[in-house]
Amino acid sequence: MSGVSREVLKWLQSLDLTWQIKNPKWDLSNGYLIAEIFSWYFPQDIQLHSFYNRQSLELKKRNWYILKNFILRNDIDLKMEDVDGTIHCREGAAAQLIESLYEILTNRRVKKIPPEIEVDYTDHAYQLQLPMHARSTASKAVKNNLRLTEVIADQNIITCAQKPGWFSDRSVFKSQRIINEHIEHRREERLQDPQRFGIKATLGDRCVRRPEPPQQIQSEPSHISNTTDIPAELAGDCNSERPLTREPSVHFKEVEVKQMDKSAFYQLPIQSY
C-alpha cells in the first residue's frame, strides 16, 4: 500500500478489518472501513449495522454524515480537508487521514520526512513544473481542482447560496477559494518575471533610493558647564545645531458662537387650512 508507513500498516493488520486495504484512495472513500476502525475504540458510539458497504454517492454521504457528527461531537482532531479529500478520492488524502487516525487513537507519532511543499490537494505543485505558457487559466484551475462528485454532493459550492452546515468555519467557498488562489499565484508570477508580462517600472520604482542618515551619537557631558567660558564662534555653532522642537509658535483664539434657541419654534400653535 503506497503512501502509508510500515508502522501504520502493522496497526491496520492488527485490527483484523473486513478486507485488506490495498489502495486507500478507493478502499476508504465510502467510510465503512473508517467506521470499523472507530468501532474498535468506541464500540458504544459506532455500530457497523448503521453503515453501508457500497460505493454509490448517496450511501457514501450517509456514512460520512454519521462519521462527521461523531468526529465533531467527540472533538477528534482530524482535518476536514483530509476527510473531504478521502470522500472525493483525492490523491494522498486517504493516506494522510489514516496516519492521523493512527496518531490520535494510539498516541504515537509517525516517523516521516516532512514534504517540501505543503499538501493542499490541488495541482499547484504540478503547475509549477510547467512553463508559463502551459499553465492553467482560472476556469481550467476550477475544473482541475473541483471534482464532479463534490458538485453533485453540494450544489452550493458553485452557486454559493449558503454555507455547508457541517463545516461552519469555512469562510470562503471552494470554487471562490480556487479562483482566489489562482489570482494570487498569477500575481507572484508577475513579480518573478515582469519582462514576460510587459510590466514597466513606475517612477517610484526607478527613482534613486538614498541611504538613511546615520544616527548621531550623543557625546558625553564635558567638564565645561558654564556657557560664558565658551567663545562666541563656538557658541554660534552650538546654537545652530540645536534640534527643532514641535511646539507651536502661533496660538489661535477659540471663537465662541451663540446658538439660536429653537425651542420657541416648537411652541407655536399649529394653523389649520
Side-chain angles (χ1 to χ4, degrees), residues 107-142:
N107 293 325
R108 300 175 185 173
R109 302 294 297 176
V110 178
K111 298 179 181 179
K112 60 181 180 180
I113 301 175
E116 298 179 358
I117 301 177
E118 184 180 357
V119 179
D120 53 357
Y121 307 124
T122 61
D123 64 339
H124 177 56
Y126 169 72
Q127 293 294 328
L128 293 177
Q129 301 175 1
L130 299 176
M132 286 285 189
H133 66 276
R135 297 183 181 180
S136 61
T137 58
S139 60
K140 184 66 175 178
V142 174

PDB file of all heavy atoms in Angstrom, residues 107-142:
ATOM      1  N   ASN A 107      -1.844   7.269  20.287  1.00  0.00           N
ATOM      2  CA  ASN A 107      -0.948   8.210  20.979  1.00  0.00           C
ATOM      3  C   ASN A 107       0.511   7.990  20.592  1.00  0.00           C
ATOM      4  O   ASN A 107       1.423   8.070  21.416  1.00  0.00           O
ATOM      5  CB  ASN A 107      -1.105   8.104  22.504  1.00  0.00           C
ATOM      6  CG  ASN A 107      -2.472   8.576  22.968  1.00  0.00           C
ATOM      7  OD1 ASN A 107      -3.029   9.516  22.400  1.00  0.00           O
ATOM      8  ND2 ASN A 107      -3.000   7.935  23.987  1.00  0.00           N
ATOM      9  N   ARG A 108       0.757   7.721  19.332  1.00  0.00           N
ATOM     10  CA  ARG A 108       2.108   7.567  18.807  1.00  0.00           C
ATOM     11  C   ARG A 108       2.314   8.542  17.651  1.00  0.00           C
ATOM     12  O   ARG A 108       1.348   9.088  17.121  1.00  0.00           O
ATOM     13  CB  ARG A 108       2.351   6.121  18.336  1.00  0.00           C
ATOM     14  CG  ARG A 108       2.199   5.084  19.434  1.00  0.00           C
ATOM     15  CD  ARG A 108       2.333   3.688  18.851  1.00  0.00           C
ATOM     16  NE  ARG A 108       2.072   2.652  19.853  1.00  0.00           N
ATOM     17  CZ  ARG A 108       1.996   1.352  19.580  1.00  0.00           C
ATOM     18  NH1 ARG A 108       2.172   0.933  18.325  1.00  0.00           N
ATOM     19  NH2 ARG A 108       1.748   0.485  20.543  1.00  0.00           N
ATOM     20  N   ARG A 109       3.569   8.725  17.294  1.00  0.00           N
ATOM     21  CA  ARG A 109       3.916   9.617  16.208  1.00  0.00           C
ATOM     22  C   ARG A 109       4.471   8.824  15.035  1.00  0.00           C
ATOM     23  O   ARG A 109       5.239   7.867  15.213  1.00  0.00           O
ATOM     24  CB  ARG A 109       4.964  10.635  16.659  1.00  0.00           C
ATOM     25  CG  ARG A 109       4.537  11.496  17.840  1.00  0.00           C
ATOM     26  CD  ARG A 109       3.383  12.411  17.491  1.00  0.00           C
ATOM     27  NE  ARG A 109       3.749  13.344  16.459  1.00  0.00           N
ATOM     28  CZ  ARG A 109       2.897  14.214  15.923  1.00  0.00           C
ATOM     29  NH1 ARG A 109       1.620  14.229  16.321  1.00  0.00           N
ATOM     30  NH2 ARG A 109       3.290  15.054  14.998  1.00  0.00           N
ATOM     31  N   VAL A 110       4.071   9.214  13.837  1.00  0.00           N
ATOM     32  CA  VAL A 110       4.562   8.565  12.627  1.00  0.00           C
ATOM     33  C   VAL A 110       5.870   9.234  12.220  1.00  0.00           C
ATOM     34  O   VAL A 110       5.936  10.459  12.066  1.00  0.00           O
ATOM     35  CB  VAL A 110       3.524   8.667  11.489  1.00  0.00           C
ATOM     36  CG1 VAL A 110       4.063   8.025  10.222  1.00  0.00           C
ATOM     37  CG2 VAL A 110       2.224   8.006  11.895  1.00  0.00           C
ATOM     38  N   LYS A 111       6.905   8.446  12.041  1.00  0.00           N
ATOM     39  CA  LYS A 111       8.204   8.967  11.636  1.00  0.00           C
ATOM     40  C   LYS A 111       8.242   9.081  10.119  1.00  0.00           C
ATOM     41  O   LYS A 111       8.226   8.060   9.406  1.00  0.00           O
ATOM     42  CB  LYS A 111       9.320   8.042  12.130  1.00  0.00           C
ATOM     43  CG  LYS A 111       9.386   7.918  13.640  1.00  0.00           C
ATOM     44  CD  LYS A 111      10.497   6.962  14.055  1.00  0.00           C
ATOM     45  CE  LYS A 111      10.550   6.820  15.576  1.00  0.00           C
ATOM     46  NZ  LYS A 111      11.625   5.876  16.005  1.00  0.00           N
ATOM     47  N   LYS A 112       8.267  10.298   9.629  1.00  0.00           N
ATOM     48  CA  LYS A 112       8.304  10.523   8.195  1.00  0.00           C
ATOM     49  C   LYS A 112       8.990  11.848   7.912  1.00  0.00           C
ATOM     50  O   LYS A 112       9.092  12.723   8.785  1.00  0.00           O
ATOM     51  CB  LYS A 112       6.885  10.519   7.601  1.00  0.00           C
ATOM     52  CG  LYS A 112       5.965  11.581   8.174  1.00  0.00           C
ATOM     53  CD  LYS A 112       4.592  11.499   7.555  1.00  0.00           C
ATOM     54  CE  LYS A 112       3.667  12.574   8.152  1.00  0.00           C
ATOM     55  NZ  LYS A 112       2.321  12.519   7.552  1.00  0.00           N
ATOM     56  N   ILE A 113       9.449  11.987   6.683  1.00  0.00           N
ATOM     57  CA  ILE A 113      10.129  13.215   6.271  1.00  0.00           C
ATOM     58  C   ILE A 113       9.070  14.241   5.883  1.00  0.00           C
ATOM     59  O   ILE A 113       8.170  13.935   5.077  1.00  0.00           O
ATOM     60  CB  ILE A 113      11.071  12.934   5.083  1.00  0.00           C
ATOM     61  CG1 ILE A 113      12.119  11.885   5.484  1.00  0.00           C
ATOM     62  CG2 ILE A 113      11.740  14.216   4.610  1.00  0.00           C
ATOM     63  CD1 ILE A 113      13.009  11.445   4.347  1.00  0.00           C
ATOM     64  N   PRO A 114       9.122  15.447   6.422  1.00  0.00           N
ATOM     65  CA  PRO A 114       8.120  16.453   6.058  1.00  0.00           C
ATOM     66  C   PRO A 114       8.245  16.840   4.590  1.00  0.00           C
ATOM     67  O   PRO A 114       9.355  16.934   4.054  1.00  0.00           O
ATOM     68  CB  PRO A 114       8.440  17.633   6.984  1.00  0.00           C
ATOM     69  CG  PRO A 114       9.867  17.441   7.378  1.00  0.00           C
ATOM     70  CD  PRO A 114      10.090  15.961   7.412  1.00  0.00           C
ATOM     71  N   PRO A 115       7.145  17.053   3.901  1.00  0.00           N
ATOM     72  CA  PRO A 115       7.211  17.405   2.471  1.00  0.00           C
ATOM     73  C   PRO A 115       7.773  18.804   2.271  1.00  0.00           C
ATOM     74  O   PRO A 115       7.650  19.678   3.130  1.00  0.00           O
ATOM     75  CB  PRO A 115       5.743  17.311   2.021  1.00  0.00           C
ATOM     76  CG  PRO A 115       4.954  17.556   3.264  1.00  0.00           C
ATOM     77  CD  PRO A 115       5.759  16.982   4.400  1.00  0.00           C
ATOM     78  N   GLU A 116       8.404  19.013   1.101  1.00  0.00           N
ATOM     79  CA  GLU A 116       8.963  20.327   0.787  1.00  0.00           C
ATOM     80  C   GLU A 116       7.868  21.354   0.534  1.00  0.00           C
ATOM     81  O   GLU A 116       7.993  22.515   0.920  1.00  0.00           O
ATOM     82  CB  GLU A 116       9.869  20.214  -0.446  1.00  0.00           C
ATOM     83  CG  GLU A 116      11.070  19.295  -0.244  1.00  0.00           C
ATOM     84  CD  GLU A 116      11.927  19.193  -1.483  1.00  0.00           C
ATOM     85  OE1 GLU A 116      11.550  19.821  -2.503  1.00  0.00           O
ATOM     86  OE2 GLU A 116      12.960  18.496  -1.437  1.00  0.00           O
ATOM     87  N   ILE A 117       6.787  20.935  -0.107  1.00  0.00           N
ATOM     88  CA  ILE A 117       5.658  21.822  -0.402  1.00  0.00           C
ATOM     89  C   ILE A 117       4.465  21.351   0.416  1.00  0.00           C
ATOM     90  O   ILE A 117       4.198  20.152   0.516  1.00  0.00           O
ATOM     91  CB  ILE A 117       5.313  21.812  -1.906  1.00  0.00           C
ATOM     92  CG1 ILE A 117       6.530  22.252  -2.725  1.00  0.00           C
ATOM     93  CG2 ILE A 117       4.137  22.733  -2.193  1.00  0.00           C
ATOM     94  CD1 ILE A 117       6.313  22.196  -4.224  1.00  0.00           C
ATOM     95  N   GLU A 118       3.763  22.284   1.024  1.00  0.00           N
ATOM     96  CA  GLU A 118       2.602  21.942   1.842  1.00  0.00           C
ATOM     97  C   GLU A 118       1.519  21.292   0.981  1.00  0.00           C
ATOM     98  O   GLU A 118       1.178  21.797  -0.098  1.00  0.00           O
ATOM     99  CB  GLU A 118       2.057  23.198   2.514  1.00  0.00           C
ATOM    100  CG  GLU A 118       0.913  22.932   3.470  1.00  0.00           C
ATOM    101  CD  GLU A 118       0.394  24.201   4.111  1.00  0.00           C
ATOM    102  OE1 GLU A 118       0.972  25.274   3.838  1.00  0.00           O
ATOM    103  OE2 GLU A 118      -0.576  24.096   4.887  1.00  0.00           O
ATOM    104  N   VAL A 119       1.003  20.183   1.475  1.00  0.00           N
ATOM    105  CA  VAL A 119      -0.021  19.437   0.732  1.00  0.00           C
ATOM    106  C   VAL A 119      -1.360  20.146   0.893  1.00  0.00           C
ATOM    107  O   VAL A 119      -1.860  20.333   2.003  1.00  0.00           O
ATOM    108  CB  VAL A 119      -0.115  17.988   1.238  1.00  0.00           C
ATOM    109  CG1 VAL A 119      -1.192  17.226   0.475  1.00  0.00           C
ATOM    110  CG2 VAL A 119       1.228  17.287   1.109  1.00  0.00           C
ATOM    111  N   ASP A 120      -1.940  20.595  -0.220  1.00  0.00           N
ATOM    112  CA  ASP A 120      -3.237  21.260  -0.191  1.00  0.00           C
ATOM    113  C   ASP A 120      -4.253  20.595  -1.114  1.00  0.00           C
ATOM    114  O   ASP A 120      -5.322  21.150  -1.365  1.00  0.00           O
ATOM    115  CB  ASP A 120      -3.082  22.731  -0.584  1.00  0.00           C
ATOM    116  CG  ASP A 120      -2.361  22.909  -1.916  1.00  0.00           C
ATOM    117  OD1 ASP A 120      -1.933  21.882  -2.500  1.00  0.00           O
ATOM    118  OD2 ASP A 120      -2.232  24.053  -2.374  1.00  0.00           O
ATOM    119  N   TYR A 121      -3.899  19.415  -1.675  1.00  0.00           N
ATOM    120  CA  TYR A 121      -4.785  18.628  -2.542  1.00  0.00           C
ATOM    121  C   TYR A 121      -5.223  19.424  -3.772  1.00  0.00           C
ATOM    122  O   TYR A 121      -6.368  19.322  -4.224  1.00  0.00           O
ATOM    123  CB  TYR A 121      -6.009  18.124  -1.772  1.00  0.00           C
ATOM    124  CG  TYR A 121      -5.638  17.378  -0.524  1.00  0.00           C
ATOM    125  CD1 TYR A 121      -6.125  17.757   0.718  1.00  0.00           C
ATOM    126  CD2 TYR A 121      -4.765  16.297  -0.575  1.00  0.00           C
ATOM    127  CE1 TYR A 121      -5.770  17.078   1.868  1.00  0.00           C
ATOM    128  CE2 TYR A 121      -4.394  15.614   0.575  1.00  0.00           C
ATOM    129  CZ  TYR A 121      -4.898  16.014   1.794  1.00  0.00           C
ATOM    130  OH  TYR A 121      -4.535  15.338   2.935  1.00  0.00           O
ATOM    131  N   THR A 122      -4.331  20.246  -4.295  1.00  0.00           N
ATOM    132  CA  THR A 122      -4.554  20.947  -5.552  1.00  0.00           C
ATOM    133  C   THR A 122      -3.411  20.601  -6.501  1.00  0.00           C
ATOM    134  O   THR A 122      -2.450  19.914  -6.130  1.00  0.00           O
ATOM    135  CB  THR A 122      -4.627  22.469  -5.337  1.00  0.00           C
ATOM    136  OG1 THR A 122      -3.377  22.935  -4.800  1.00  0.00           O
ATOM    137  CG2 THR A 122      -5.753  22.821  -4.363  1.00  0.00           C
ATOM    138  N   ASP A 123      -3.497  21.102  -7.724  1.00  0.00           N
ATOM    139  CA  ASP A 123      -2.454  20.834  -8.719  1.00  0.00           C
ATOM    140  C   ASP A 123      -1.427  21.958  -8.785  1.00  0.00           C
ATOM    141  O   ASP A 123      -0.766  22.127  -9.808  1.00  0.00           O
ATOM    142  CB  ASP A 123      -3.097  20.637 -10.089  1.00  0.00           C
ATOM    143  CG  ASP A 123      -3.794  21.896 -10.589  1.00  0.00           C
ATOM    144  OD1 ASP A 123      -4.124  22.762  -9.750  1.00  0.00           O
ATOM    145  OD2 ASP A 123      -4.020  22.011 -11.807  1.00  0.00           O
ATOM    146  N   HIS A 124      -1.274  22.707  -7.699  1.00  0.00           N
ATOM    147  CA  HIS A 124      -0.343  23.829  -7.715  1.00  0.00           C
ATOM    148  C   HIS A 124       1.104  23.356  -7.890  1.00  0.00           C
ATOM    149  O   HIS A 124       1.883  23.963  -8.630  1.00  0.00           O
ATOM    150  CB  HIS A 124      -0.467  24.631  -6.413  1.00  0.00           C
ATOM    151  CG  HIS A 124       0.502  25.767  -6.321  1.00  0.00           C
ATOM    152  ND1 HIS A 124       0.589  26.753  -7.281  1.00  0.00           N
ATOM    153  CD2 HIS A 124       1.447  26.062  -5.381  1.00  0.00           C
ATOM    154  CE1 HIS A 124       1.539  27.618  -6.944  1.00  0.00           C
ATOM    155  NE2 HIS A 124       2.078  27.219  -5.806  1.00  0.00           N
ATOM    156  N   ALA A 125       1.482  22.258  -7.220  1.00  0.00           N
ATOM    157  CA  ALA A 125       2.841  21.737  -7.359  1.00  0.00           C
ATOM    158  C   ALA A 125       3.105  21.276  -8.792  1.00  0.00           C
ATOM    159  O   ALA A 125       4.213  21.454  -9.319  1.00  0.00           O
ATOM    160  CB  ALA A 125       3.058  20.586  -6.379  1.00  0.00           C
ATOM    161  N   TYR A 126       2.090  20.708  -9.446  1.00  0.00           N
ATOM    162  CA  TYR A 126       2.264  20.294 -10.841  1.00  0.00           C
ATOM    163  C   TYR A 126       2.345  21.495 -11.777  1.00  0.00           C
ATOM    164  O   TYR A 126       3.114  21.493 -12.746  1.00  0.00           O
ATOM    165  CB  TYR A 126       1.101  19.384 -11.243  1.00  0.00           C
ATOM    166  CG  TYR A 126       1.026  19.092 -12.722  1.00  0.00           C
ATOM    167  CD1 TYR A 126       1.959  18.255 -13.331  1.00  0.00           C
ATOM    168  CD2 TYR A 126       0.020  19.649 -13.508  1.00  0.00           C
ATOM    169  CE1 TYR A 126       1.893  17.987 -14.690  1.00  0.00           C
ATOM    170  CE2 TYR A 126      -0.047  19.386 -14.864  1.00  0.00           C
ATOM    171  CZ  TYR A 126       0.892  18.559 -15.454  1.00  0.00           C
ATOM    172  OH  TYR A 126       0.836  18.299 -16.797  1.00  0.00           O
ATOM    173  N   GLN A 127       1.578  22.543 -11.484  1.00  0.00           N
ATOM    174  CA  GLN A 127       1.597  23.735 -12.328  1.00  0.00           C
ATOM    175  C   GLN A 127       2.950  24.451 -12.267  1.00  0.00           C
ATOM    176  O   GLN A 127       3.372  25.068 -13.249  1.00  0.00           O
ATOM    177  CB  GLN A 127       0.493  24.704 -11.892  1.00  0.00           C
ATOM    178  CG  GLN A 127      -0.919  24.204 -12.128  1.00  0.00           C
ATOM    179  CD  GLN A 127      -1.257  24.054 -13.596  1.00  0.00           C
ATOM    180  OE1 GLN A 127      -0.770  24.798 -14.443  1.00  0.00           O
ATOM    181  NE2 GLN A 127      -2.116  23.094 -13.908  1.00  0.00           N
ATOM    182  N   LEU A 128       3.648  24.361 -11.135  1.00  0.00           N
ATOM    183  CA  LEU A 128       4.957  25.000 -11.025  1.00  0.00           C
ATOM    184  C   LEU A 128       5.999  24.329 -11.917  1.00  0.00           C
ATOM    185  O   LEU A 128       6.988  24.973 -12.302  1.00  0.00           O
ATOM    186  CB  LEU A 128       5.434  24.972  -9.565  1.00  0.00           C
ATOM    187  CG  LEU A 128       4.642  25.826  -8.572  1.00  0.00           C
ATOM    188  CD1 LEU A 128       5.191  25.641  -7.174  1.00  0.00           C
ATOM    189  CD2 LEU A 128       4.689  27.302  -8.969  1.00  0.00           C
ATOM    190  N   GLN A 129       5.791  23.064 -12.251  1.00  0.00           N
ATOM    191  CA  GLN A 129       6.727  22.356 -13.108  1.00  0.00           C
ATOM    192  C   GLN A 129       6.529  22.678 -14.584  1.00  0.00           C
ATOM    193  O   GLN A 129       7.410  22.375 -15.392  1.00  0.00           O
ATOM    194  CB  GLN A 129       6.598  20.844 -12.888  1.00  0.00           C
ATOM    195  CG  GLN A 129       6.867  20.408 -11.454  1.00  0.00           C
ATOM    196  CD  GLN A 129       6.607  18.931 -11.234  1.00  0.00           C
ATOM    197  OE1 GLN A 129       6.245  18.215 -12.171  1.00  0.00           O
ATOM    198  NE2 GLN A 129       6.777  18.472 -10.004  1.00  0.00           N
ATOM    199  N   LEU A 130       5.400  23.260 -14.940  1.00  0.00           N
ATOM    200  CA  LEU A 130       5.102  23.574 -16.334  1.00  0.00           C
ATOM    201  C   LEU A 130       5.670  24.933 -16.708  1.00  0.00           C
ATOM    202  O   LEU A 130       5.860  25.799 -15.855  1.00  0.00           O
ATOM    203  CB  LEU A 130       3.589  23.569 -16.560  1.00  0.00           C
ATOM    204  CG  LEU A 130       2.848  22.259 -16.287  1.00  0.00           C
ATOM    205  CD1 LEU A 130       1.351  22.460 -16.476  1.00  0.00           C
ATOM    206  CD2 LEU A 130       3.347  21.147 -17.194  1.00  0.00           C
ATOM    207  N   PRO A 131       5.947  25.160 -17.996  1.00  0.00           N
ATOM    208  CA  PRO A 131       6.338  26.513 -18.425  1.00  0.00           C
ATOM    209  C   PRO A 131       5.173  27.495 -18.293  1.00  0.00           C
ATOM    210  O   PRO A 131       4.020  27.104 -18.128  1.00  0.00           O
ATOM    211  CB  PRO A 131       6.752  26.311 -19.888  1.00  0.00           C
ATOM    212  CG  PRO A 131       6.070  25.050 -20.303  1.00  0.00           C
ATOM    213  CD  PRO A 131       5.992  24.179 -19.091  1.00  0.00           C
ATOM    214  N   MET A 132       5.502  28.776 -18.400  1.00  0.00           N
ATOM    215  CA  MET A 132       4.492  29.807 -18.168  1.00  0.00           C
ATOM    216  C   MET A 132       3.322  29.691 -19.137  1.00  0.00           C
ATOM    217  O   MET A 132       2.156  29.829 -18.744  1.00  0.00           O
ATOM    218  CB  MET A 132       5.129  31.197 -18.294  1.00  0.00           C
ATOM    219  CG  MET A 132       6.012  31.577 -17.134  1.00  0.00           C
ATOM    220  SD  MET A 132       5.053  32.025 -15.687  1.00  0.00           S
ATOM    221  CE  MET A 132       6.372  32.666 -14.643  1.00  0.00           C
ATOM    222  N   HIS A 133       3.596  29.417 -20.399  1.00  0.00           N
ATOM    223  CA  HIS A 133       2.522  29.421 -21.393  1.00  0.00           C
ATOM    224  C   HIS A 133       1.608  28.208 -21.269  1.00  0.00           C
ATOM    225  O   HIS A 133       0.511  28.200 -21.832  1.00  0.00           O
ATOM    226  CB  HIS A 133       3.123  29.461 -22.804  1.00  0.00           C
ATOM    227  CG  HIS A 133       3.888  28.216 -23.169  1.00  0.00           C
ATOM    228  ND1 HIS A 133       5.215  28.020 -22.820  1.00  0.00           N
ATOM    229  CD2 HIS A 133       3.506  27.087 -23.839  1.00  0.00           C
ATOM    230  CE1 HIS A 133       5.625  26.847 -23.262  1.00  0.00           C
ATOM    231  NE2 HIS A 133       4.615  26.252 -23.876  1.00  0.00           N
ATOM    232  N   ALA A 134       2.047  27.153 -20.551  1.00  0.00           N
ATOM    233  CA  ALA A 134       1.252  25.926 -20.443  1.00  0.00           C
ATOM    234  C   ALA A 134       0.465  25.831 -19.152  1.00  0.00           C
ATOM    235  O   ALA A 134      -0.264  24.853 -18.955  1.00  0.00           O
ATOM    236  CB  ALA A 134       2.162  24.710 -20.570  1.00  0.00           C
ATOM    237  N   ARG A 135       0.566  26.825 -18.294  1.00  0.00           N
ATOM    238  CA  ARG A 135      -0.145  26.751 -17.012  1.00  0.00           C
ATOM    239  C   ARG A 135      -1.619  27.074 -17.208  1.00  0.00           C
ATOM    240  O   ARG A 135      -2.017  27.751 -18.152  1.00  0.00           O
ATOM    241  CB  ARG A 135       0.498  27.706 -16.003  1.00  0.00           C
ATOM    242  CG  ARG A 135       1.935  27.323 -15.684  1.00  0.00           C
ATOM    243  CD  ARG A 135       2.563  28.196 -14.634  1.00  0.00           C
ATOM    244  NE  ARG A 135       3.946  27.805 -14.396  1.00  0.00           N
ATOM    245  CZ  ARG A 135       4.752  28.394 -13.530  1.00  0.00           C
ATOM    246  NH1 ARG A 135       4.310  29.416 -12.795  1.00  0.00           N
ATOM    247  NH2 ARG A 135       5.999  27.977 -13.377  1.00  0.00           N
ATOM    248  N   SER A 136      -2.433  26.572 -16.285  1.00  0.00           N
ATOM    249  CA  SER A 136      -3.885  26.639 -16.433  1.00  0.00           C
ATOM    250  C   SER A 136      -4.406  28.043 -16.196  1.00  0.00           C
ATOM    251  O   SER A 136      -3.811  28.846 -15.470  1.00  0.00           O
ATOM    252  CB  SER A 136      -4.553  25.671 -15.457  1.00  0.00           C
ATOM    253  OG  SER A 136      -4.214  26.028 -14.121  1.00  0.00           O
ATOM    254  N   THR A 137      -5.547  28.318 -16.820  1.00  0.00           N
ATOM    255  CA  THR A 137      -6.257  29.569 -16.595  1.00  0.00           C
ATOM    256  C   THR A 137      -7.169  29.411 -15.377  1.00  0.00           C
ATOM    257  O   THR A 137      -7.179  28.374 -14.720  1.00  0.00           O
ATOM    258  CB  THR A 137      -7.073  29.944 -17.830  1.00  0.00           C
ATOM    259  OG1 THR A 137      -7.997  28.871 -18.113  1.00  0.00           O
ATOM    260  CG2 THR A 137      -6.166  30.138 -19.042  1.00  0.00           C
ATOM    261  N   ALA A 138      -7.937  30.459 -15.071  1.00  0.00           N
ATOM    262  CA  ALA A 138      -8.813  30.411 -13.896  1.00  0.00           C
ATOM    263  C   ALA A 138      -9.895  29.349 -14.058  1.00  0.00           C
ATOM    264  O   ALA A 138     -10.169  28.576 -13.131  1.00  0.00           O
ATOM    265  CB  ALA A 138      -9.433  31.788 -13.654  1.00  0.00           C
ATOM    266  N   SER A 139     -10.532  29.291 -15.239  1.00  0.00           N
ATOM    267  CA  SER A 139     -11.578  28.286 -15.459  1.00  0.00           C
ATOM    268  C   SER A 139     -11.007  26.872 -15.461  1.00  0.00           C
ATOM    269  O   SER A 139     -11.624  25.934 -14.953  1.00  0.00           O
ATOM    270  CB  SER A 139     -12.296  28.566 -16.780  1.00  0.00           C
ATOM    271  OG  SER A 139     -11.371  28.528 -17.859  1.00  0.00           O
ATOM    272  N   LYS A 140      -9.795  26.719 -16.013  1.00  0.00           N
ATOM    273  CA  LYS A 140      -9.164  25.399 -16.013  1.00  0.00           C
ATOM    274  C   LYS A 140      -8.757  24.993 -14.604  1.00  0.00           C
ATOM    275  O   LYS A 140      -8.815  23.805 -14.248  1.00  0.00           O
ATOM    276  CB  LYS A 140      -7.943  25.435 -16.936  1.00  0.00           C
ATOM    277  CG  LYS A 140      -7.252  24.090 -17.107  1.00  0.00           C
ATOM    278  CD  LYS A 140      -8.145  23.083 -17.822  1.00  0.00           C
ATOM    279  CE  LYS A 140      -7.376  21.790 -18.097  1.00  0.00           C
ATOM    280  NZ  LYS A 140      -8.240  20.778 -18.748  1.00  0.00           N
ATOM    281  N   ALA A 141      -8.355  25.959 -13.783  1.00  0.00           N
ATOM    282  CA  ALA A 141      -7.992  25.645 -12.398  1.00  0.00           C
ATOM    283  C   ALA A 141      -9.197  25.147 -11.612  1.00  0.00           C
ATOM    284  O   ALA A 141      -9.083  24.219 -10.807  1.00  0.00           O
ATOM    285  CB  ALA A 141      -7.395  26.886 -11.726  1.00  0.00           C
ATOM    286  N   VAL A 142     -10.359  25.745 -11.843  1.00  0.00           N
ATOM    287  CA  VAL A 142     -11.584  25.274 -11.182  1.00  0.00           C
ATOM    288  C   VAL A 142     -11.928  23.861 -11.646  1.00  0.00           C
ATOM    289  O   VAL A 142     -12.318  23.003 -10.854  1.00  0.00           O
ATOM    290  CB  VAL A 142     -12.739  26.246 -11.452  1.00  0.00           C
ATOM    291  CG1 VAL A 142     -14.051  25.703 -10.887  1.00  0.00           C
ATOM    292  CG2 VAL A 142     -12.449  27.610 -10.833  1.00  0.00           C
TER     293      VAL A 142
END
